[in-house]
Amino acid sequence: MKALNRVSFDIGKGELLGVMGHNGAGKSTLINVLCGLVFKDEGNARVFDFNIDEELGKIRKRMGVVS
């Protein structure tokens, strides 16, 4: 079973992302993938227009996560 399947969204400059959902919905997994704490099996992701596979250090310098 996949924790995340076909996730797609775009957040503009100056906007914030809040993730809500029931237990087991994949909220933590999504944030952990975007932060590079968990590696994705397939697909692609960009944060601040940086590729998470190639430019994770640049992403981590700009991203803040509150748990």
Side-chain angles (χ1 to χ4, degrees), residues 5-32:
N5 188 26
R6 300 180 63 103
V7 176
S8 176
F9 55 89
D10 185 22
I11 302 166
K13 185 176 180 176
E15 295 179 333
L16 299 173
L17 170 67
V19 183
M20 297 172 58
H22 58 82
N23 291 345
K27 302 175 299 290
S28 296
T29 302
L30 172 64
I31 298 302
N32 288 336

Side-chain angles (χ1 to χ4, degrees), residues 24-61:
K27 302 175 299 290
S28 296
T29 302
L30 172 64
I31 298 302
N32 288 336
V33 168
L34 295 177
C35 293
L37 298 174
V38 173
F39 294 102
K40 60 184 179 50
D41 293 332
E42 60 183 279
N44 58 56
R46 299 187 70 77
V47 178
F48 303 112
D49 209 30
F50 298 119
N51 185 305
I52 66 169
D53 294 325
E54 301 167 2
E55 303 170 290
L56 191 54
K58 294 177 183 177
I59 293 168
R60 286 181 174 166
K61 287 181 180 180

Side-chain angles (χ1 to χ4, degrees), residues 1-5 24 41:
M1 176 180 271
K2 292 183 179 183
L4 301 171
N5 188 26
D41 293 332

